[in-house]
Each structure stands twice: as structure tokens, then as C-alpha cells.
Amino acid sequence: MNNDTKNLFLAIALSVIELVRRAYTPTDFLVGVNKGGEPTYTPAEPGSESLPGLLVFRFDSRLFYANASLFVDRIQQLIAAAPSRVRWLILDCSSIVDADYTASLNLAGLIEALHAEKRIFALADVDPELMQVLTKLETLEHFDNAHIYPTVQEA
């Protein structure tokens, strides 16, 4: 095997490792708005919020069995540590292109827990294919479809 071939295989292996790392530990953000009305994306850290009583959460990965618990745990940590009682949680789905069965169960459980705590859950910027998957898996069976918004700004 010559050096060019070895380098090609090394590059492919490193790319696959990076994809797996990103899928298992995705970046997440709280979406806010600056004084000029432009969206801001700050790392989702406990003790922060988008606005008083509002968390707009963006998870930059597809939802699947390997990161589904992390997704729910992260949201619950943000709610528990928010400076004011969270009344609304808006999930910015612009980076979530797919969800598997395990993730759909976790999301359904999160929605149920939020509703039990008298909090409003909303979806924003949902890809039509993701919506088909969530509908097929009955993830949104007990969800008020009035809280699905075409964009985060409209939510």
C-alpha cells in the first residue's frame, strides 16, 4: 500500500470517528434574541434561559438511541436550574433531521412530564420528514398541535 492510499484510509477513519463523536455528544444551544431582533445562540448551560420563563432549546444532532437520554437529561437540567420558573419549552428542530424509536419514546416522556408540571411544550422549524416520523411513532399522540410553529421567531 502506498502512502497516498494510507493517508486516504486514515482520513476516512478520522472522519468516521469525528461523526460518531458529534452524534454521541452533540452541541446544544439556548436560542435568544438580541436588541436588534436577531437570533442569538448561546451554549445551553444550567442557570441560563432564553427569556424569563422561556427556554428555546436547539440540539444539533439527529435524535437516536445513543443520545436520546442525554437530550432529555440536558433539558431537565436546564429547567431545574433556570433563574425563573420555566413555563414554555420550545424545541428548535432546525438541526434535528431524524429520530429513532428510542428517541421518540424519550421525547414523548419529556412532553408528558412537562405537561404534568403545567408547562407548555412547543416545536419550531420541524422538517416535514421529521414530523412524519414523529407522527408514525406516535410521539406526539398527547401533544397539542397548536404548539407547532414554522419558525422559532413565530413560536
Side-chain angles (χ1 to χ4, degrees):
M1 212 186 280
N2 66 31
N3 280 340
D4 288 342
T5 305
K6 288 178 185 176
N7 288 339
L8 177 63
F9 283 125
L10 178 61
I12 291 170
L14 290 174
S15 294
V16 169
I17 290 168
E18 179 62 13
L19 284 171
V20 170
R21 184 195 67 79
R22 285 183 186 185
Y24 280 87
T25 57
T27 323
D28 49 21
F29 301 95
L30 284 181
V31 182
V33 178
N34 67 18
K35 292 180 182 181
E38 299 294 319
T40 60
Y41 300 90
T42 57
E45 298 293 335
S48 56
E49 58 190 355
S50 299
L51 290 171
L54 171 68
L55 294 178
V56 181
F57 185 73
R58 178 178 166 151
F59 192 72
D60 277 352
S61 178
R62 64 184 288 266
L63 287 173
F64 69 116
Y65 69 92
N67 65 17
S69 293
L70 172 73
F71 168 79
V72 171
D73 291 346
R74 195 77 175 118
I75 290 173
Q76 289 173 332
Q77 290 170 355
L78 292 168
I79 290 172
S84 57
R85 184 181 188 286
V86 175
R87 294 179 297 132
W88 279 76
L89 171 70
I90 299 171
L91 179 59
D92 174 354
C93 296
S94 60
S95 294
I96 303 173
V97 295
D98 193 21
D100 70 5
Y101 180 72
T102 302
S104 75
L105 290 176
N106 280 292
L107 181 57
L110 174 67
I111 294 168
E112 186 178 323
L114 292 170
H115 288 168
E117 296 169 350
K118 306 292 187 231
R119 300 178 201 273
I120 297 170
F121 176 79
L123 295 171
D125 206 355
V126 185
D127 182 88
E129 289 182 27
L130 175 61
M131 186 56 80
Q132 284 180 332
V133 168
L134 296 177
T135 302
K136 179 181 175 185
L137 295 173
E138 299 179 353
T139 309
L140 305 177
E141 189 173 85
H142 303 290
F143 174 69
D144 180 359
N145 288 346
H147 295 299
I148 298 175
Y149 299 93
T151 66
V152 172
Q153 289 76 17
E154 288 184 45

